[in-house]
Amino acid sequence: MNDRMEKIVSLAKRRGFIFPGSEIYGGLAGTWDYGPLGVEVKQNMKREFWNTMVRMRDDVVGLDAAILMNPKVWEASGHVASFTDPLVECKVCHERFRADHEDELRLHENTHEGKKVEWTEPKTFNLLVEAGLGAVEGEKTKVYLRGEITQGVHVNFKNVLDSSRKKIPFGIAQIGKAFRNEITPGNFTFRSREFEQMELQWFVKADEGEAMRWFEFWKNERMQWYRELGIRSENLRFREHAPDERAHYAKAAWDIEYASPFGGWSEFEGIHHRGNWDLSRHSEFSGQDLSYFDEATKERFIPWVIETSGGVDRAILFFLIDAYREEGERTYLAIDRRLSPFKVAVFPLLANKPTLVEKAEAIYRALKPFMMVAWDDRGNIGKRYYSQDEIGTPWCVTVDFDTIEHDTVTVRDRDSMKQERIPVSELIATFQDRLR
Ligand code: GAP
């Protein structure tokens, strides 16, 4: 892992963003736990996605489908047959790797210094994670933990259509956990075995021109979303998948990629043209009619789907990497205020002066119903600023002797480090305004 990544992984653990899963038992590869600060960032990320994709639109509704689904779903979706990666095994140590990840293979070969490393022929390896369901040992039903959150939307297409009365084009958004038996989980949370996705399935007329117009629209919307939330433009790009690289369901696929410190341009989010693959396969396998009747044209057809599919954990990782800054002694996270775990930190200038502590506490309590607020009365003010900078708190409020006299506080900005005096009576409105 390179130096920058090591610093981010260490900061994430030390400050309570992300911990290795089941750490006291030696961990479980590809699983991660979000700590007190990480859980805040995760909720903020999901809320931003939901606000943009559902709340602010009239043509998208939400869904929260079950993780466990009838196993026929995964036969119909093609995942049982085709959700595979090519696997090779090192003949020296029998460790297994993705055959298509050349860099990882070369890195591994270098660990066997002086030995000629040979690899087995690539085998296809299914990524679905299996579980057993039922109360009788030996007679459990084999089910899969969902390999993508998408299928919950497609099997509910009719339910959503009938209950919401939406007309095509319209979308169904969902956020939730997915599970993949990744051959080589790694690069911190980038490739995990349990992770969260945030997706939109956008249903359109069965028409190539119409589908591609929406494909372009959603590609650009999603790129704009990452930029607007603060990822630097020079670290983002689009990349089209070659035909032999596309998932089994995709007629066209583009990735939004991020210039990662560990692997160069890396997949951030996928935009896929899924055609009628899912709905027609579920119609066929379930025997249910999943077609759509267009009142205007009096036509009945199976809609096509344009999908945007991003990873919540991958987004958090890339936002942390992008926001990480070092300036002399100071390390700070220039993360957007909408994503930062705390919005404001409140300090009494001196922890041993009851008048200052009481006033600071009153301000802290007054702000709390409106935003996530941190409290710190340890060490000196400089140390407290550095500590909040490192976790990305945009503003620090210091209660000093002027506060007692004039009822104003010092508000210090994380990025510019500029300080201003603001009347206590205006604090809530000021921050609410800045957080909008
Ligand atoms: N429904 C389409 C779908 O799942 P995908 O390209 O396989 O498409 C979409 O996954 C996104 O989910 C990826 O762009 C990535 O952000 C996230 N993702 C996929 N596999 C992941 C993994 N093993 N760990 C973390 N995030 C992952």
Side-chain angles (χ1 to χ4, degrees):
M1 212 186 281
N2 79 7
D3 189 40
R4 191 173 164 79
M5 268 303 278
E6 265 175 22
K7 285 179 180 165
I8 288 162
V9 174
S10 141
L11 169 81
K13 168 125 197 263
R14 188 164 39 81
R15 298 304 306 267
F17 285 94
I18 303 172
F19 308 128
S22 326
E23 195 182 11
I24 60 166
Y25 288 100
L28 181 69
T31 64
W32 298 93
D33 297 338
Y34 285 74
L37 301 194
V39 71
E40 293 299 328
V41 179
K42 207 177 208 196
Q43 286 190 11
N44 294 341
M45 182 76 67
K46 294 197 273 187
R47 186 181 320 106
E48 285 305 314
F49 175 85
W50 208 254
N51 283 349
T52 309
M53 302 297 275
V54 182
R55 192 166 69 92
M56 297 305 288
R57 299 193 65 97
D58 298 327
D59 49 13
V60 177
V61 291
L63 184 80
D64 183 8
I67 289 174
L68 299 174
M69 305 178 81
N70 188 311
K72 283 190 194 139
V73 168
W74 302 104
E75 281 169 40
S77 70
H79 284 75
V80 172
S82 309
F83 194 46
T84 56
D85 275 338
L87 174 150
V88 286
E89 192 175 302
C90 168
K91 287 190 179 172
V92 178
C93 67
H94 304 290
E95 203 172 330
R96 293 169 163 208
F97 290 87
R98 283 270 295 266
D100 54 339
H101 285 180
E102 292 288 332
D103 291 353
E104 286 171 23
L105 298 184
R106 299 296 85 79
L107 268 177
H108 181 74
E109 284 169 6
N110 291 340
T111 63
H112 294 299
E113 250 175 60
K115 280 194 186 142
K116 178 163 169 28
V117 175
E118 286 184 50
W119 297 96
T120 57
E121 283 302 308
K123 279 195 297 202
T124 50
F125 176 79
N126 194 290
L127 301 183
L128 287 174
V129 177
E130 293 174 11
L133 218 56
V136 185
E137 264 328 313
E139 287 177 31
K140 289 187 179 165
T141 307
K142 183 169 89 176
V143 293
Y144 302 102
L145 303 187
R146 61 186 177 190
E148 58 169 3
I149 62 171
T150 325
Q151 297 309 320
V153 170
H154 293 131
V155 302
N156 278 294
F157 174 70
K158 264 272 155 13
N159 283 336
V160 174
L161 196 65
D162 293 347
S163 57
S164 71
R165 306 251 150 233
K166 287 285 170 205
K167 297 218 173 350
I168 275 175
F170 81 98
I172 304 177
Q174 188 176 206
I175 302 176
K177 291 261 184 176
F179 303 82
R180 294 184 188 174
N181 204 354
E182 296 285 359
I183 298 166
T184 45
N187 288 324
F188 198 19
T189 57
F190 177 78
R191 206 180 311 124
S192 309
R193 288 181 167 146
E194 174 178 342
F195 54 96
E196 268 189 284
Q197 295 185 306
M198 41 189 177
E199 285 193 348
L200 171 74
Q201 305 297 312
W202 179 255
F203 299 92
V204 298
K205 266 209 292 222
D207 174 88
E208 197 57 39
E210 175 86 349
M212 286 316 288
R213 263 194 303 284
W214 282 115
F215 190 82
E216 284 306 311
F217 173 83
W218 283 112
K219 243 174 80 187
N220 293 323
E221 284 289 299
R222 294 303 300 150
M223 177 64 99
Q224 196 45 34
W225 190 75
Y226 289 114
R227 287 195 177 130
E228 208 271 316
L229 258 184
I231 299 272
R232 288 172 288 187
S233 290
E234 66 267 28
N235 290 334
L236 290 167
R237 73 167 192 190
F238 284 119
R239 187 181 70 84
E240 184 176 13
H241 280 209
D244 64 349
E245 198 190 343
R246 284 183 214 141
H248 60 276
Y249 49 74
K251 284 169 74 133
W254 286 65
D255 283 344
I256 295 174
E257 292 189 329
Y258 181 77
S260 77
F262 50 80
W265 289 106
S266 308
E267 179 182 342
F268 202 154
E269 164 155 347
I271 321 295
H272 308 130
H273 177 347
R274 296 179 77 119
N276 66 3
W277 168 262
D278 304 273
L279 287 180
S280 60
R281 292 274 293 192
H282 287 306
S283 281
E284 187 189 326
F285 278 67
S286 68
Q288 304 287 316
D289 176 11
L290 300 182
S291 63
Y292 173 86
F293 183 69
D294 191 325
E295 300 281 353
T297 61
K298 305 292 176 216
E299 284 173 305
R300 180 168 283 286
F301 57 90
I302 298 271
W304 288 7
V305 172
I306 304 301
E307 155 185 86
T308 73
S309 179
V312 177
D313 312 77
R314 207 171 273 192
I316 291 170
L317 174 62
F318 288 158
F319 273 95
L320 289 180
I321 292 172
D322 212 72
Y324 184 84
R325 308 269 195 284
E326 284 176 351
E327 264 178 20
E329 296 276 280
R330 184 166 98 104
T331 297
Y332 69 107
L333 278 186
I335 195 164
D336 189 278
R337 64 199 185 286
R338 289 164 290 183
L339 299 178
S340 62
F342 293 111
K343 311 305 167 190
V344 178
V346 179
F347 319 141
L349 179 67
L350 300 170
N352 58 0
K353 288 276 176 274
T355 43
L356 298 184
V357 174
E358 269 165 37
K359 183 70 182 172
E361 251 185 43
I363 292 172
Y364 169 76
R365 299 257 162 244
L367 287 169
K368 243 174 158 1
F370 301 95
M371 60 204 73
M372 278 299 290
V373 192
W375 170 266
D376 197 355
D377 57 8
R378 295 159 310 166
N380 61 38
I381 288 287
K383 283 207 179 117
R384 294 180 207 161
Y385 283 155
Y386 279 16
S387 169
Q388 293 300 322
D389 284 348
E390 204 182 35
I391 59 170
T393 309
W395 299 287
C396 292
V397 170
T398 304
V399 170
D400 52 24
F401 293 104
D402 267 6
T403 313
I404 308 302
E405 219 166 297
H406 304 294
D407 215 31
T408 60
V409 286
T410 302
V411 175
R412 183 260 199 185
D413 181 272
R414 174 195 69 200
D415 299 339
S416 67
M417 295 195 288
K418 288 212 173 95
Q419 301 190 1
E420 59 190 321
R421 294 294 299 184
I422 296 186
V424 171
S425 59
E426 290 172 21
L427 263 189
I428 292 173
T430 303
F431 289 133
Q432 277 188 314
D433 199 42
R434 291 180 185 182
L435 287 167
R436 239 197 281 276

